[in-house]
Amino acid sequence: MGKIKSTCSLFVHSDFIDFFMNSNYEKPKDLKFDDLVVDICFHPNREVIAAGHIGGNVTIHTYSTTGENNELMNLEHHKKACRALKFSSDGIHLYTASKDKSIQVIDLNTGSVKQKLKGAHSSAIYCLQVTGENFLASGDDDGCLKLWDLRTKTAVMDMKENEDYISDLAVDDQQKFLLATSGDGTLTAFNIRQKRMELQSELFDSELLSLSILKGNQKVLCGTSEGVINIFNWGEWGNISDRFPGHPLSIDCMVPITRDIVCTGSSDGIVRAVHILPNRFMGVVGEHDEFPVENLSLSHDRKLLASCSHDQTVKFWKVDNLKKEKVNTKKKAKKTNKPKHLAPKDEFFAGLAEGEPSSKTEKNDEDDDNDDSDDDSDDDE
């Protein structure tokens, strides 16, 4: 049973940098914890964020751009690390998955466990994805993927198509196809209506760690352990149509911001804004010093991005201004090692205003927009 501590209910051109520097930049204060935060998720319609911790507990906070953040609940229903969590589409329930191999459903009105799928997997669960009003997908350390009908508490699809852990899951808007990346270096598409595997990609040399659907369900992005974004055409799962290198280390998480822009979290501790087709590094949204970025989540109003890291902190970044930036498709990306930071000087890198170089440099930021990227940029025109 969960324990409730509170009863509260529930790129870039220089002028764009100047715009961020001079705007009324307000964001919530950081959430600081005593242990590592493994996953985070914003509530679908309220100013609430949930965090899963390595100790197994789940904390739920309200956040504010004008006042203090407040803890609503501290739930202790898992025996081991809470690795993944998702809110239901109506925001009434919170789904959590753990290294203890269980999936649990929390009633957010009471903080109690409504459902518990004990031994949901034979190995530790790694990721979750909501695939419908009563359906939930889960992937584990051994490459097993299951689709759950929460009304009957049974797995209506149970497939083992991977030789390594399922690293990330994504579903299309029609909730017909479930995509899964794996540490074995493959992208796999499942038809969850027909309960079968649709197609699996060729085996890549590097692990596929993160996943996003962009361009109105036309493109699928996979972040790799080598710092490359592999780009697939929708429905053509066998092989990539383009690749975008440039991250100096692995791309551990990513979240779509607009139709063309994705934010990535890397093991170098930096959160970047990346434009896809044409492929451009727009700039640095935020950072966790040199601690790896574990996960990202976008708020319900799409104005804030949250990130968690090994620094035991959840940080918030304002991203609503990203949609106002236009990428010049006629100009090739300039080659530079100097990162561009999209945050005001009182947040970090104060020297940017005076033209001082940052202590951190990105490997060929805005560089590796190779010839293939420029050719493929016409695909979306």
Side-chain angles (χ1 to χ4, degrees), residues 118-293:
K118 186 178 181 180
H121 283 252
S122 58
S123 61
I125 302 171
Y126 198 90
C127 55
L128 285 178
Q129 182 60 250
V130 177
T131 61
E133 184 178 353
N134 297 298
F135 293 91
L136 185 70
S138 56
D140 68 24
D141 281 357
D142 288 336
C144 178
L145 184 141
K146 294 187 179 184
L147 180 66
W148 299 91
D149 186 336
L150 298 175
R151 296 167 297 186
T152 61
K153 301 182 183 179
T154 58
V156 295
M157 187 176 78
D158 185 347
M159 308 197 77
K160 175 84 164 61
E161 301 292 343
N162 295 98
E163 300 302 321
D164 208 338
Y165 67 101
I166 305 295
S167 57
D168 202 1
L169 297 168
V171 66
D172 67 331
D173 294 338
Q174 289 72 38
Q175 297 177 341
K176 179 180 179 181
F177 291 102
L178 177 69
L179 307 181
T181 49
S182 173
D184 64 13
T186 61
L187 169 68
T188 310
F190 297 89
N191 187 321
I192 54 178
R193 293 182 185 174
Q194 299 180 5
K195 312 293 189 297
R196 63 180 176 84
M197 185 186 80
E198 191 77 10
L199 190 65
Q200 188 172 75
S201 74
E202 69 173 32
L203 189 66
F204 292 94
D205 292 334
S206 59
E207 298 176 73
L208 301 188
L209 304 177
S210 52
L211 183 61
S212 276
I213 301 174
L214 231 61
K215 301 283 186 181
N217 283 344
Q218 295 179 23
K219 300 290 181 180
V220 175
L221 314 182
C222 298
T224 74
S225 57
E226 294 179 343
V228 176
I229 298 177
N230 286 343
I231 304 175
F232 292 80
N233 289 327
W234 183 264
E236 300 175 7
W237 317 116
N239 204 348
I240 59 174
S241 63
D242 193 10
R243 64 194 303 272
F244 183 28
H247 289 76
L249 296 175
S250 62
I251 305 169
D252 298 329
C253 50
M254 60 171 65
V255 62
I257 305 298
T258 70
R259 187 177 183 275
D260 304 311
I261 298 171
V262 64
C263 278
T264 63
S266 177
S267 55
D268 65 357
I270 295 179
V271 179
R272 296 170 174 85
V274 182
H275 190 283
I276 298 298
L277 297 176
N279 300 333
R280 300 286 191 274
F281 282 102
M282 300 179 69
V284 174
V285 173
E287 69 160 334
H288 287 264
D289 295 325
E290 295 182 356
F291 295 97
V293 180

